Amino acid sequence: MAAVTLVCLIAGAVVSYAKARAEGLGLTADVGLAERPERLVVALVAACFSGLGVPYILPAGMWLLAVASLITVGQRVVAVYQQTRER
């Protein structure tokens, strides 16, 4: 679980960095499966239900968050790549 949580932290930072870097280049990167609000909701709901005693919800939430964040990073990289190819 520590590795999954670390992936969530790193991927979350990379998602935001990819968008900021694209905007700095004058491009848009408003694509992705899990933008900031979705990532926050998944993490908070998983933590809330875990605190209420629901078993395995926190690991499931972290796995979902890790996969969705990695997909979002890929989608943003592809979107920026396509925009630069058009120019």
Side-chain angles (χ1 to χ4, degrees):
M1 276 309 301
V4 174
T5 305
L6 187 60
V7 168
C8 290
L9 287 171
I10 293 170
V14 173
V15 166
S16 297
Y17 177 76
K19 183 174 182 175
R21 188 70 179 147
E23 289 174 351
L25 295 171
L27 305 170
T28 59
D30 292 332
V31 297
L33 177 66
E35 294 186 15
R36 184 178 293 132
E38 290 85 4
R39 293 190 321 263
L40 186 60
V41 167
V42 168
L44 290 177
V45 167
C48 177
F49 281 116
S50 177
L52 293 174
V54 178
Y56 305 113
I57 193 72
L58 191 58
M62 291 299 105
W63 275 103
L64 175 66
L65 187 60
V67 170
S69 295
L70 291 173
I71 290 171
T72 302
V73 168
Q75 289 174 324
R76 289 193 175 177
V77 168
V78 168
V80 170
Y81 177 76
Q82 289 174 346
Q83 290 176 36
T84 57
R85 296 282 294 175
E86 292 172 0
R87 291 185 177 187

